[in-house]
């Protein structure tokens, strides 16, 4: 790793500030000691490893998509297959998966109509037939959807570190602001016609995946949290480097960005991956989903551009950003304020419905996602490190490029402007990390 420079601000501190800085440095040293004390990974050759990225699983956990509700099969099995695959290919079991990032929308439905915090601030909800039809609050979030998600995560708990960035469906309430109600006639091509939707309340998320939850409490690799775990940080070791992962909540407010900046200072110089829910559009633009772009309505809400301008671009150690929410795939590369590359990847497959067609469901078949997920294969033995990005479905047991019908199934609905070859290149490609060693040093030798 590159040598650490003591910031000028450290030199001009008050005695009390020096004491506080020493405290945090001692705490960081303790975390490092805990990390080094973790069991040695099963993989013994080379420095290559994989990060599994789980896009929106809301359609799998949806209580309406289970046999108990009359659905022809349990859609939750598609999610469980993903986690079974990760467990089987985790490092402790002889594989090379060292970390898992879920980019949000773990489950589908809300639990309340509007959260008390927004009511107290004077917000009011407008009637929304679309939300009432598809996402009305239900107690089955707690009795069906969350237990299904917990069952899936139990498959990897204790095997591999993971982080979860809460998506809009993981909030207690999703509602439409009365100042921006739905149009009388909904235009499917215009998401604004659905009204501008807010989210609020994270009681269910915190109780399931918060910093005091059984998945994270006391784990040495779960190193920081904010807002009860709505924002969180994890560390893992792979490929000769120690990595930091930060998961930020949906429309992350500036308080979340300030917290993340403090975590980055604490782990200064560590290569960092940031996950959040809504960040890239399917065309690779940094922009919110139009139906959820509430930044101009609620000053506490952030936006993708604010996230880039005020956090990502200002911290050189962030080299990769992951997101979901907006159906499709996209990628872009930008230079940060230091002139270094930041790769940003969108993957969200929730609108794919071939599994429903296979089950003989009548058109229009309900979209599920067909089990597609992302596998990021890091080649750290190469002179220039690379990431091989694969899109894989345990349900079909194939990579996108190995499935002859892949483009025929999905291209027309997602990117009809592309050729089949170009569409495949959206799902399977290689990123060259040209300045990785310049930023983070040569790394340590393989075990």
């Amino acid at each position: 790793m590159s040598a650490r420079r003591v910031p000028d601000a450290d030199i001009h501190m008050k005695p009390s500030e020096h004491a506080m800085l020493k405290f945090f440095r001692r705490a960081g040293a303790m975390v490092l000691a805990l990390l080094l004390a973790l069991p040695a990974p099963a993989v013994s050759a080379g420095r290559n490893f994989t990060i599994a990225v789980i896009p929106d699983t809301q359609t799998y956990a949806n209580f309406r998509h289970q046999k108990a509700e009359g659905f022809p099969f349990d859609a939750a099995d598609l999610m469980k297959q993903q986690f079974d695959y990760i467990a089987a290919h985790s490092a402790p079991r002889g594989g090379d998966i060292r970390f898992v990032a879920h980019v949000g929308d773990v489950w589908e439905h809300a639990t309340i109509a509007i959260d008390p915090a927004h009511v107290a601030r004077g917000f009011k909800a407008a009637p929304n037939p679309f939300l009432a039809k598809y996402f009305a609050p239900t107690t089955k979030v707690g009795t069906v959807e969350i237990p299904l998600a917990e069952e899936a995560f139990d498959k990897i708990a204790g095997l591999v570190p993971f982080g979860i960035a809460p998506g809009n469906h993981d909030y207690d309430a999703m509602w439409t602001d009365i100042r921006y109600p739905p149009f009388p006639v909904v235009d499917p091509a215009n998401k604004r016609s659905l009204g501008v939707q807010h989210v609020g309340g994270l009681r269910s998320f915190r109780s399931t995946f918060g910093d005091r939850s059984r998945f994270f409490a006391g784990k040495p690799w779960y190193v920081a949290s904010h807002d009860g775990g709505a924002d969180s940080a994890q560390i893992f070791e792979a490929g000769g480097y120690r990595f930091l992962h930060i998961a930020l909540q949906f429309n992350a407010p500036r308080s979340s960005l300030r917290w993340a900046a403090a975590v980055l200072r604490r782990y200064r110089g560590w290569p960092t991956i940031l996950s959040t829910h809504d960040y890239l559009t399917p065309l690779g633009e940094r922009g919110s989903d139009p139906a959820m772009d509430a930044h101009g309505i609620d000053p506490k809400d952030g936006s993708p551009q604010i996230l880039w301008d005020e956090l990502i671009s200002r911290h050189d150690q962030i080299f990769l950003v992951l997101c979901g929410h907006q159906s499709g795939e996209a990628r872009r590369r930008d230079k940060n304020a230091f002139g270094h590359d930041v790769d940003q990847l969108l993957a969200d497959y929730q609108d794919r419905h071939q599994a429903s067609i296979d089950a003989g469901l009548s058109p229009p078949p309900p979209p599920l996602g067909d089990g597609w997920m992302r596998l990021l294969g890091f080649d750290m033995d190469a002179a220039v490190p690379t990431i091989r990005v694969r899109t894989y479905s345990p349900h079909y047991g194939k990579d996108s490029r190995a499935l002859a019908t892949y483009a025929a199934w999905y291209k027309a609905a997602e990117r009809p402007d592309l050729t089949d070859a170009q569409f495949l290149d959206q799902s399977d490609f290689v990123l060259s990390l040209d300045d990785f060693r310049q930023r983070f040093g040569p790394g340590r030798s393989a075990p």
Side-chain angles (χ1 to χ4, degrees):
M1 297 174 67
S2 55
R4 177 182 174 183
R5 183 180 68 85
V6 176
D8 294 338
D10 286 9
I11 301 173
H12 303 289
M13 287 184 173
K14 299 176 183 178
S16 60
E17 292 172 331
H18 270 296
M20 183 64 70
L21 181 61
K22 289 180 180 178
F23 170 79
F24 281 114
R25 285 175 175 165
R26 285 197 298 270
M30 292 174 64
V31 170
L32 281 175
L34 286 169
L35 179 62
L36 292 173
L38 292 173
V43 178
S44 60
R47 299 197 301 171
N48 300 339
F49 66 96
T50 295
I51 294 175
V53 183
I54 307 292
D56 312 43
T57 51
Q58 63 195 76
T59 54
Y60 308 140
N62 186 342
F63 76 91
R64 291 195 176 100
H65 293 163
Q66 315 306 325
K67 285 183 179 180
E69 294 288 329
F71 205 68
F73 61 95
D74 286 325
D77 288 344
L78 295 170
M79 177 168 54
K80 293 173 186 176
Q81 289 166 3
Q82 293 177 330
F83 284 81
D84 282 334
Y85 178 89
I86 293 169
H89 293 82
S90 64
R93 293 187 176 172
D96 67 351
I97 294 178
R98 300 296 186 91
F99 188 78
V100 180
H102 194 303
V103 296
D105 280 359
V106 182
W107 51 80
E108 180 80 294
H109 288 89
T111 56
I112 55 178
I114 180 171
D115 60 293
H118 276 96
V119 172
R121 293 173 58 207
F123 286 86
K124 296 181 180 179
N128 189 315
F130 176 80
L131 291 183
K133 180 177 180 179
Y134 295 104
F135 308 118
T138 173
T139 59
K140 291 190 176 181
V141 174
T143 60
V144 178
E145 296 186 359
I146 289 178
L148 288 173
E150 290 178 314
E151 185 179 350
F153 276 96
D154 276 333
K155 294 175 180 292
I156 64 170
L159 289 174
V160 60
F162 58 91
I164 307 170
N168 51 297
H169 285 268
D170 302 320
Y171 284 74
D172 300 329
M174 187 162 61
W175 48 278
T176 299
D177 186 84
I178 198 168
R179 294 167 295 171
Y180 298 86
F183 293 168
V185 177
V186 172
D187 175 7
N190 180 2
K191 288 190 174 183
R192 281 280 189 179
S193 71
L194 300 174
V196 179
Q197 298 155 48
H198 268 295
V199 296
L202 281 167
R203 182 175 180 178
S204 293
F205 183 86
R206 291 190 187 102
S207 65
T208 310
F209 296 121
D211 49 16
R212 298 183 181 181
S213 71
R214 62 185 176 85
F215 289 108
F216 298 129
K219 301 297 188 293
W221 46 264
Y222 187 91
V223 294
S225 63
H226 170 254
D227 199 7
D231 307 305
S232 64
Q234 300 79 34
I235 55 176
F236 64 99
E237 186 171 0
Y241 294 86
R242 295 189 179 98
F243 288 85
L244 172 67
H245 174 264
I246 294 177
L248 291 182
Q249 60 188 278
F250 180 72
N251 286 344
R254 283 184 168 87
S255 59
S256 296
L257 306 192
R258 290 192 293 270
W259 167 83
V263 173
L264 287 162
R265 288 192 295 270
R266 179 177 170 187
Y267 294 93
R268 193 185 305 273
W270 289 38
T272 301
I273 300 165
L274 187 145
S275 294
T276 193
H277 188 55
D278 185 17
Y279 179 78
L280 285 186
T281 74
L283 296 180
E285 300 163 337
R286 269 192 300 272
S288 300
D289 175 350
M292 303 293 297
D293 186 7
H295 171 63
I297 299 171
D298 187 346
K300 288 191 175 183
D301 286 340
S303 71
Q305 195 59 46
I306 289 174
L307 179 56
W308 170 263
D309 291 340
E310 299 188 12
L311 181 72
I312 298 170
S313 68
R314 295 183 183 181
H315 291 86
D316 194 29
Q317 66 198 79
I318 301 175
F319 73 98
L320 182 63
V321 179
L322 307 171
C323 65
H325 183 69
Q326 302 200 48
S327 297
E329 299 172 317
R331 68 182 186 267
R332 66 179 291 160
R333 172 175 284 182
D334 293 292
K335 297 289 185 183
N336 63 19
F338 306 87
H340 292 141
D341 294 332
V342 182
D343 287 297
Q344 302 142 83
L345 307 180
L346 161 69
D348 176 15
Y349 306 110
Q350 64 179 297
D351 283 345
R352 295 182 172 182
H353 52 234
Q354 187 61 39
S356 293
I357 294 175
D358 295 343
L361 292 172
S362 300
L368 296 176
D370 298 348
W372 295 100
M373 55 190 268
R374 279 275 170 90
L375 298 172
L376 310 185
F378 285 68
D379 183 353
M380 307 305 287
D381 285 327
V384 176
T386 61
I387 304 176
R388 166 77 184 279
V389 178
R390 297 163 49 209
T391 299
Y392 177 77
S393 170
H395 177 67
Y396 290 111
K398 291 183 181 294
D399 286 343
S400 55
R401 201 173 290 279
L403 185 63
T405 53
Y406 185 79
W409 282 354
Y410 306 124
K411 182 172 76 74
E414 295 177 15
R415 291 299 302 271
D417 56 310
L418 302 180
T419 66
D420 286 3
Q422 289 171 332
F423 186 71
L424 286 168
D425 287 343
Q426 292 280 104
S427 299
D428 188 319
F429 55 92
V430 175
L431 296 172
S432 179
L433 304 181
D434 301 320
D435 54 27
F436 189 89
R437 301 217 194 279
Q438 175 188 351
R439 294 158 78 175
F440 305 114
R444 296 180 298 160
S445 301

